């Protein structure tokens, strides 16, 4: 159990557990899907991993460093992980990290917005499972695998209250889905090795697939515990708490991303920058 490991031993333990999990995963791939095993790239050099650490401005988590020391990502298809999730190389990690940090900056996500997040969950606009912040990205999120850039898995060093620094999260920006997958990358890889050996996954023409692929319904996810007790801010003018029939903003509206709802950035004449979700067909101007 991760919780039973002393803090001082965790870095070395996580690296060792990562290598052990990779041994098991690679044996399974060699027996069941050799094309995916062959697609794992050779190790990233110590210099490449050091350069990545410098770019991220933080030490690489021991488990991620151990993973890259085995394989600098993967190439081709099928992938070594289910449902098209491909391991990223050092160069791809840096590129995706910079992209996500840029998106977060454009969206004005430098501060937590618990009351807004709760409202978005209650309205069925975003879906959160576990203590993860529903941001577009963060300097404290290190990507390690991706489904063609649309569904990304990160090692998260800025968890929501109740989360664990270094937890593994999955973010689907288009689907507005955010969920915690494991307490750590070492736990994630070990759990995956366990599931492979237990027959949880099937192998088909498209590679490894979850046995329950498509069975998860995010509309059934409960309100995350860290948002459950959040209260909304009272209106600025308490004498008139009823909302107006319509809201008029003056400013430049910039399209940032698409989906069933659209996330807009708004710059007011005062210079204040806001970000909000709206349905394009219900906006004008």
């Amino acid at each position: 159990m991760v919780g039973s490991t002393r803090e001082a031993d965790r870095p070395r333990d996580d690296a060792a557990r990562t290598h052990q999990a990779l041994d098991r995963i690679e044996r399974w791939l060699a027996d069941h899907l050799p094309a995916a095993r062959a697609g794992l790239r050779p190790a990233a050099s110590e210099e490449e991993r050091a350069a990545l650490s410098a770019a991220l401005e933080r030490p690489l988590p021991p488990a991620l460093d151990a993973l890259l020391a085995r394989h600098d990502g993967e190439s081709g298809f099928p992938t070594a992980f289910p449902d098209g999730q491909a391991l990223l190389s050092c160069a791809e990690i840096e590129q995706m990290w910079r992209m996500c940090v840029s998106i977060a900056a454009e969206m004005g996500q430098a501060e937590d917005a618990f009351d807004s997040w709760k409202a978005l969950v209650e309205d069925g606009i975003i879906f959160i499972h576990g203590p993860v912040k529903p941001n577009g990205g963060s300097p404290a999120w290190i990507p390690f695998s991706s489904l063609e850039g649309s569904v990304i898995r990160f090692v998260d060093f800025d968890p929501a209250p109740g989360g664990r620094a270094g937890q593994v999260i999955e973010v689907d920006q288009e689907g507005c889905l955010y969920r915690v997958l494991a307490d750590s990358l070492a736990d994630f890889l070990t759990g995956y090795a366990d599931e492979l050996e237990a027959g949880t996954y099937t192998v088909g023409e498209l590679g490894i697939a979850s046995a329950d692929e498509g069975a998860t319904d995010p509309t059934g996810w409960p309100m995350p515990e860290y948002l459950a007790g959040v209260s909304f801010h009272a209106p600025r003018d308490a004498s008139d708490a009823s909302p107006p029939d319509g809201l008029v903003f003056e400013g430049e509206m910039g399209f940032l991303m698409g989906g069933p709802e659209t996330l807009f950035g708004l710059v007011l004449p005062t210079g204040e920058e806001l970000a909000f979700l709206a349905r394009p067909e219900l906006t004008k101007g």
Side-chain angles (χ1 to χ4, degrees):
M1 296 285 291
V2 172
S4 65
T5 305
R6 293 184 306 155
E7 292 290 340
D9 293 337
R10 276 186 183 148
R12 183 173 56 188
D13 181 65
D14 278 357
R17 291 176 63 221
T18 295
H19 282 295
Q20 291 167 0
L22 290 172
D23 286 341
R24 297 167 61 197
I25 292 168
E26 291 175 38
R27 282 197 299 269
W28 189 94
L29 292 174
D31 291 338
H32 297 86
L33 194 60
R37 173 64 184 85
L40 293 170
R41 295 183 183 130
S45 68
E46 186 174 348
E47 291 76 16
E48 288 172 321
R49 301 191 326 265
L52 175 60
S53 176
L56 300 176
E57 299 181 354
R58 66 169 60 242
L60 293 182
L64 180 57
D65 187 61
L67 174 59
L68 291 168
R70 289 277 290 256
H71 301 293
D72 191 24
E74 60 183 312
S75 58
F77 193 84
T79 58
F81 284 76
D83 309 326
Q85 278 284 332
L87 293 174
L88 301 176
S89 67
C90 288
E92 290 165 339
I93 289 173
E94 180 181 350
Q95 180 182 25
M96 188 162 289
W97 177 81
R98 292 188 184 280
M99 179 190 71
C100 292
V101 169
S102 176
I103 290 173
E106 290 177 3
M107 292 167 61
Q109 295 179 332
E111 298 181 0
D112 295 335
F114 297 110
D115 53 350
S116 297
W117 296 342
K118 182 174 183 178
L120 293 172
V121 171
E122 289 184 335
D123 290 341
I125 296 173
I126 65 175
F127 304 91
I128 306 174
H129 195 281
V132 53
K133 297 179 180 180
N135 286 330
S138 167
W141 290 3
I142 304 177
F144 69 91
S145 77
S146 168
L147 170 59
E148 298 180 348
S150 61
V151 182
I152 307 171
R153 290 173 177 171
F154 300 87
V155 181
D156 173 17
F157 286 98
D158 182 26
R164 183 190 293 270
Q167 66 187 10
V168 171
I169 62 173
E170 182 177 87
V171 176
D172 177 353
Q173 292 289 4
E174 185 174 348
C176 299
L177 307 178
Y178 309 83
R179 60 174 177 163
V180 177
L181 299 180
D183 284 345
S184 70
L185 182 55
D187 281 353
F188 175 77
L189 294 171
T190 300
Y192 179 48
D194 291 342
E195 291 172 341
L196 286 176
E197 294 170 352
T200 303
Y201 297 96
T202 60
V203 176
E205 293 181 0
L206 299 179
I208 305 171
S210 303
D212 60 347
E213 184 180 5
T216 301
D217 180 8
T219 61
W221 292 352
M223 178 68 68
E225 288 188 17
Y226 77 95
L227 295 179
V230 171
S231 299
F232 297 109
H233 294 308
R236 293 182 180 179
D237 184 1
S239 64
D240 182 13
S242 60
D245 293 335
L247 295 177
V248 178
F249 294 94
E250 293 183 0
E252 180 181 356
M253 182 176 287
F255 173 79
L256 294 180
M257 62 182 287
E261 289 77 25
T262 302
L263 183 61
F264 294 100
L266 187 68
V267 181
L268 302 181
T270 61
E272 183 180 4
E273 296 186 9
L274 305 174
F276 60 94
L277 286 165
R279 293 186 178 181
E281 66 270 18
L282 299 181
T283 63
K284 63 180 179 179

